[in-house]
Amino acid sequence: MTLKIATWNINSVRLRIDLVARFLKKFRPDVLCLQEIKCRDDQFPHRRFTRLGYRHRAVSGQKGYHGVAIVSRRPFLDTQTRSFCNKNDARHISVTLDESDGLVVHNFYVPAGGDQPDPAVNEKFAHKLAFLDEMSSWLNGPLTAGRTVLAGDLNIAPLENDVWSHRQLLKVVSHTPVETDRLESMRQAGRWTDAVRHFVPADDKLFTWWSYRARDWLASNRGRRLDHVWVSPPLTGRLEDALVVRDSRGWPRPSDHVPVIVTLSA
């Protein structure tokens, strides 16, 4: 038996519910973490997910922007949310899965950070850095000692080959050293395993996001790897596979992000 956990910044779950259904029917993950659902809890398409076989759901939404959700074929023992930086902006939700030895899945949507990578002049970038600092302090304690999965849109491409051009993006938000250093320090402090890079060498280009601004995203291929799945030390030995569903970027009216799937052994 395996456990398949997926993450996808869907950029409006109601607008793209047909794409979500297509993905779920084809890949059948046990758990799907969604970011940027862009709806209140009561507007979430619960009935559609039930028909798709995902009867267990945890939602933290708000009107019009942000919002995270976890849908699952497996029941939950517990659901929690946490606010960061004294903002109730629906950027985190976690569930403890039943029949999984207490495995906990945390779903994050880290702030994008705006355009200017200077916290002194850009409040959005200052918020992003503060969020990462608080996230790191909270995560890297007892949570990493247990069976924990961290998934979501972390809005940082940490490695040189996580962007189309390391040199040209060093001063672009999502790949600046102040961001990548923070993320890597967080990962190392908790001894987290970057599940996708566990299977894909660091020398290989790997992206999960392509801008809507590109006239032909496939031809230009100017992507970034912003979406991640990490596992705590007790789960590293259970990693079986990882997949970036690149083709979904070419589906009708797509999100600018694509799903990432990680498979764990029982």
Side-chain angles (χ1 to χ4, degrees), residues 143-156:
L143 294 181
T144 58
R147 298 174 180 86
T148 308
V149 175
L150 186 161
D153 177 3
L154 303 187
N155 262 314
I156 298 173

Side-chain angles (χ1 to χ4, degrees), residues 99-223:
E99 301 177 355
S100 63
D101 300 323
L103 188 146
V104 180
V105 179
H106 288 271
N107 180 14
F108 278 94
Y109 176 45
V110 171
D115 296 325
Q116 180 66 28
D118 183 351
V121 299
N122 180 1
E123 292 183 2
K124 292 181 178 179
F125 195 68
H127 176 214
K128 182 176 190 175
L129 299 183
F131 189 102
L132 291 168
D133 288 342
E134 187 174 330
M135 178 180 170
S136 181
S137 297
W138 178 62
L139 281 175
N140 289 327
L143 294 181
T144 58
R147 298 174 180 86
T148 308
V149 175
L150 186 161
D153 177 3
L154 303 187
N155 262 314
I156 298 173
L159 305 182
E160 289 191 16
N161 287 307
D162 289 340
V163 294
W164 64 271
S165 173
H166 170 64
R167 180 181 61 82
Q168 294 183 67
L169 270 68
L170 277 172
K171 295 183 179 181
V172 174
V173 173
S174 79
H175 193 60
T176 66
V178 68
E179 297 169 88
T180 60
D181 289 351
R182 268 178 166 79
L183 192 68
E184 181 60 12
S185 294
M186 184 194 310
R187 192 191 65 77
Q188 291 185 6
R191 297 186 298 121
W192 297 94
T193 296
D194 181 339
V196 179
R197 282 298 185 187
H198 183 76
F199 296 99
V200 181
D203 291 340
D204 292 355
K205 290 287 188 184
L206 185 65
F207 311 142
T208 65
W209 173 90
W210 292 263
S211 175
Y212 286 131
R213 296 176 183 176
R215 182 171 298 178
D216 187 334
W217 72 274
L218 188 59
S220 63
N221 198 29
R222 294 190 172 193

Side-chain angles (χ1 to χ4, degrees), residues 2 26 45 145 172 252 256:
T2 60
K26 182 174 182 178
V172 174
D256 46 358

Side-chain angles (χ1 to χ4, degrees), residues 69-119:
I70 300 176
V71 301
S72 174
R73 295 192 292 162
R74 300 192 181 191
F76 305 148
L77 288 175
D78 183 46
T79 300
Q80 295 185 15
T81 60
R82 182 181 176 90
S83 296
F84 292 81
C85 303
N86 297 314
K87 294 178 180 286
N88 295 317
D89 51 359
R91 293 185 179 274
H92 168 267
I93 196 164
S94 68
V95 298
T96 303
L97 298 179
D98 196 4
E99 301 177 355
S100 63
D101 300 323
L103 188 146
V104 180
V105 179
H106 288 271
N107 180 14
F108 278 94
Y109 176 45
V110 171
D115 296 325
Q116 180 66 28
D118 183 351

